[in-house]
Amino acid sequence: MLMLRSLNLGFTAISGHCALWLACVLATVSFSALPTPAQSQPVRIIAFGAHPDDCDQGAGGLAAKYSALGNKVKFVSITNGDAGHQSQHGEELAKRRRAEAQEAGRRIGIEYEVLDNHDGKLLPTLEVREQVIREIRQWKADIVIAPRPSDYHPDHRYTGVLVQDASYMVIVPSLVADTPLLKQNPVFLYYSDRFTRPQPFRADIVVSIDDVCEKKISMLDAHVSQFYEWLPWTVGQFEQVPKDPSERKKWLASTPMALRKLQPEWGEALEKRYGAQAARIQHAEAFEITEYGRQPSEEEIRRLFPFFPEMASRP
Ligand SMILES: [Zn+2]
């Protein structure tokens, strides 16, 4: 389930996707020529979502970029998604969604795990917090990504709380003693969102995904039960989804579900790291650095996010 109020499936005209594909291709050509800083060792990223498809929407482009450079990315869905469909449910749906998630991960070369907690019933218990601590430690994460603990959906909200509560605890030896602890606290990030209370999202890191938007759409396309069935059904658009697999993928690319709009308030962070090239960027993913993990220096940000052009002129 994603933020349903942000969906606008009202426009079903497929003509829009052609412009989108062209923009992706042009951006790929433009940015592939940029220098990429040499990496000494792979960055290890773990992202948490409440449902199988949440990580994909918030950080699918970022994950595709990391993966293409040989870094290690894992997506974890804290629930099994067994309530996210109009006609299927329970074990049958959980099995289907786990397979979809694994296919999505395969398409961009990352690992995808779906934990077996029930969809729509997630609570920030000690048991689930320990599952999260184990995941972060086992992945030896440099970066952890999660939703902010302010969201319309309780599963999203509690995923944010669970990951927030695991930060710092990942370096405490007496807790979850069955899993080797981390030597240092990772950098914790929030996905972008549009909620304003108690405070709005702050874009600290904005990464262009113009060069991977086709990969991100391909990843989303693997979640057939969601993007072609459940989500259109929730807004009365199910009958308008094309039945042909290639046509429905083009339809998906034409909807706001596929790629989030570049927000005006992301501009400052974009210019800081891309300089004058920021004006050409059309699609991006934004993240906020939380107060609860390690606070990276600008030098470390450049090492952890090896996508920014070295020669970008700084404003
Ligand atoms: Zn969700």
Side-chain angles (χ1 to χ4, degrees), residues 37-93:
Q39 274 189 268
S40 53
Q41 55 186 1
V43 183
R44 303 186 65 86
I45 304 97
I46 189 165
F48 291 90
H51 309 110
D53 75 328
D54 288 359
C55 298
D56 315 46
Q57 293 175 71
L62 181 79
K65 289 173 79 84
Y66 274 124
S67 178
L69 291 175
N71 299 286
K72 303 297 178 190
V73 185
K74 183 174 186 178
F75 281 1
V76 179
S77 175
I78 294 188
T79 80
N80 60 18
D82 61 357
H85 201 270
Q86 65 274 35
S87 56
Q88 288 183 309
H89 62 272
E91 188 54 38
E92 178 192 21
L93 179 58

Side-chain angles (χ1 to χ4, degrees), residues 260-276:
R260 290 181 182 175
K261 276 177 66 180
L262 199 61
Q263 300 297 312
E265 59 270 26
W266 298 357
E268 187 179 337
L270 209 54
E271 282 182 26
K272 180 177 179 181
R273 305 244 158 61
Y274 287 91

Side-chain angles (χ1 to χ4, degrees), residues 293-310:
R294 192 168 76 253
Q295 301 299 293
S297 65
E298 185 61 26
E299 184 185 1
E300 189 178 14
I301 287 173
R302 295 246 160 203
R303 184 184 71 76
L304 291 175
F305 301 90
F307 320 114
F308 304 128
E310 280 184 334

Side-chain angles (χ1 to χ4, degrees), residues 1-2 50-51 54 156:
M1 297 177 211
L2 77 171
H51 309 110
D54 288 359
H156 298 174

Side-chain angles (χ1 to χ4, degrees), residues 41 44 133 136-142 166 168-173 179-188 293-294 300:
Q41 55 186 1
R44 303 186 65 86
I133 291 171
I136 295 170
R137 286 182 176 176
Q138 285 169 350
W139 197 247
K140 299 180 174 64
D142 299 303
Y168 180 69
M169 297 306 180
V170 295
I171 63 165
V172 177
T179 308
L181 77 167
L182 296 184
K183 291 180 182 132
Q184 64 175 350
N185 211 7
V187 173
F188 285 75
R294 192 168 76 253
E300 189 178 14

